[in-house]
């Protein structure tokens, strides 16, 4: 059963594993409209070519995502979040995930530098919204609008809505992280459609999916507070995740 086909499946039973990805496991509950997400400590990079674990990552990502989903909901951005029954579990609304990763970039880093020649740290004149095909076998390629239409991954109206929601989320997260003394460099979002055909923010918002820089550090390595510490073997990964969570939870939503 694919990640996108189990939504409201009549054959689901409570506790049944529906999907296991690189960072999370999704289980059915006794309510077909509600699923249970288990956050893992497993870590991957470079399309799973690099594998390892980050102790406590599951709990950090679960708590941080819950807090930021509440921030989104309080500001009119609908999400799949319901609650967290344990430190590493989140109950979510069942959605049909769009096979599109939406990336918002505020500062040049990562693949944007590699593919364009922009210098690391270049502040973009306006946020850059990009769409990627959520397909590990193809390496999650960058999508043009015409390719989105060709592959029928989303309607034109949905693409417009994805862009608007991504920019709104960027405004909210940028301001929130700034209060935490953290610069939001870029981040990845995923969205799903619920039983009422409403587009919801899904997946997670965490150091796994965001590139975050400590505003009190100027050194390009020491300032890193996200999964780049794992990708680039910078060390102190668990401490960076813990610091991000502490700062996030210190701010009310």
């Amino acid at each position: 059963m694919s990640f996108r086909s189990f939504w409201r499946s009549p054959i689901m039973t409570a506790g049944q594993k529906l999907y296991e990805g690189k960072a999370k496991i999704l289980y059915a509950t006794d309510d077909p409209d509600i699923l249970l997400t288990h956050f893992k400590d497993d870590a991957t990079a470079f399309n799973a070519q690099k594998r390892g674990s980050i102790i406590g990552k599951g709990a950090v990502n679960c708590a941080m995502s819950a807090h930021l989903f509440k921030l989104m909901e309080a500001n009119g951005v609908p999400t799949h979040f319901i609650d967290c029954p344990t430190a590493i579990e989140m109950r979510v609304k069942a959605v049909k995930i769009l096979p599109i990763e939406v990336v918002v970039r505020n500062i040049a880093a990562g693949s944007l530098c590699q593919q364009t020649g922009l210098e690391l740290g270049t502040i973009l004149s306006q946020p850059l919204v990009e769409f990627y095909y959520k397909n590990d076998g193809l390496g999650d390629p960058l999508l043009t609008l015409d390719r989105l239409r060709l592959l029928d991954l989303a309607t034109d109206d949905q693409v417009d809505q994805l862009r608007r929601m991504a920019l709104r989320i960027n405004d909210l997260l940028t301001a929130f992280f700034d209060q935490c003394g953290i610069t939001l460099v870029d981040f990845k979002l995923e969205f799903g459609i619920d039983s009422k055909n409403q587009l919801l923010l899904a997946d997670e918002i965490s150091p796994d999916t965001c590139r975050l820089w400590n505003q009190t550090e100027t050194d390009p390595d020491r300032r890193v507070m996200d999964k780049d510490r794992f990708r680039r073997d910078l060390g102190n990964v668990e401490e960076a995740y813990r610091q991000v969570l502490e700062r996030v939870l210190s701010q009310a939503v």
Side-chain angles (χ1 to χ4, degrees):
M1 181 178 292
S2 75
F3 185 49
R4 293 181 288 279
S5 66
F6 56 68
W7 172 52
R8 293 178 61 82
S9 169
I11 63 172
M12 293 192 304
T13 58
Q16 175 186 352
K17 183 192 290 189
L18 302 176
Y19 168 83
E20 181 167 2
K22 301 166 189 171
K24 294 181 290 295
I25 305 173
L26 204 59
Y27 295 97
T29 71
D30 55 8
D31 186 335
D33 288 317
I34 296 175
L35 302 177
L36 184 69
T37 303
H38 172 90
F39 286 74
K40 303 193 295 185
D41 285 351
D42 295 355
T44 64
F46 311 118
N47 199 21
Q49 294 180 35
K50 179 177 182 178
R51 295 178 178 272
S53 64
I54 301 171
I55 298 172
K57 178 175 83 76
V60 168
N61 289 0
C62 185
M64 179 169 163
S65 294
H67 197 74
L68 294 178
F69 281 143
K70 292 175 186 176
L71 172 69
M72 296 298 114
E73 294 278 0
N75 287 277
V77 177
T79 79
H80 72 162
F81 173 75
I82 298 175
D83 58 26
C84 293
T86 74
I88 55 173
E89 292 179 322
M90 180 183 294
R91 293 199 312 150
V92 298
K93 300 167 189 171
V95 297
K96 181 179 180 181
I97 293 290
L98 293 176
I100 300 169
E101 294 181 349
V102 184
V103 174
V104 183
R105 303 180 187 274
N106 298 305
I107 298 173
S111 62
L112 183 62
C113 295
Q114 297 165 10
Q115 296 169 3
T116 65
L118 285 171
E119 184 178 353
L120 175 67
T122 301
I123 298 175
L124 307 185
S125 59
Q126 61 184 22
L128 175 65
V129 180
E130 297 178 324
F131 301 103
Y132 291 83
Y133 190 10
K134 186 175 168 61
N135 187 311
D136 288 343
L138 297 176
D140 301 332
L142 180 67
L143 291 167
T144 64
L145 292 178
D146 284 343
R147 286 189 177 188
L148 277 163
R149 296 188 185 103
L150 173 68
L151 297 172
D152 195 25
L153 299 179
T155 67
D156 286 355
D157 286 345
Q158 286 174 336
V159 171
D160 288 341
Q161 190 177 358
L162 287 173
R163 182 181 295 276
R164 290 195 304 271
M165 290 179 69
L167 289 172
R168 173 61 175 156
I169 292 165
N170 184 51
D171 287 342
L172 293 170
L173 289 180
T174 298
F176 182 87
F177 278 119
D178 189 59
Q179 292 177 333
C180 299
I182 296 173
T183 297
L184 179 61
V185 178
D186 57 38
F187 58 100
K188 173 185 74 72
L189 301 170
E190 293 188 24
F191 294 85
I193 300 172
D194 68 6
S195 59
K196 299 176 182 177
N197 206 36
Q198 183 182 23
L199 193 64
L200 305 181
L201 176 63
D203 194 43
E204 63 181 285
I205 307 174
S206 72
D208 272 14
T209 61
C210 301
R211 189 169 269 119
L212 306 167
W213 289 352
N214 189 343
Q215 292 180 354
T216 62
E217 289 283 0
T218 57
D219 181 89
D221 290 341
R222 288 199 299 268
R223 69 185 175 187
V224 174
M225 304 182 76
D226 55 75
K227 198 166 75 169
D228 270 353
R229 300 205 70 85
F230 171 76
R231 291 188 188 98
R232 296 165 49 196
D233 296 316
L234 298 177
N236 298 317
V237 185
E238 289 85 357
E239 175 62 18
Y241 273 58
R242 186 189 63 78
Q243 284 190 25
V244 170
L245 180 62
E246 284 184 359
R247 296 191 193 191
V248 165
L249 296 184
S250 72
Q251 300 295 323
V253 298

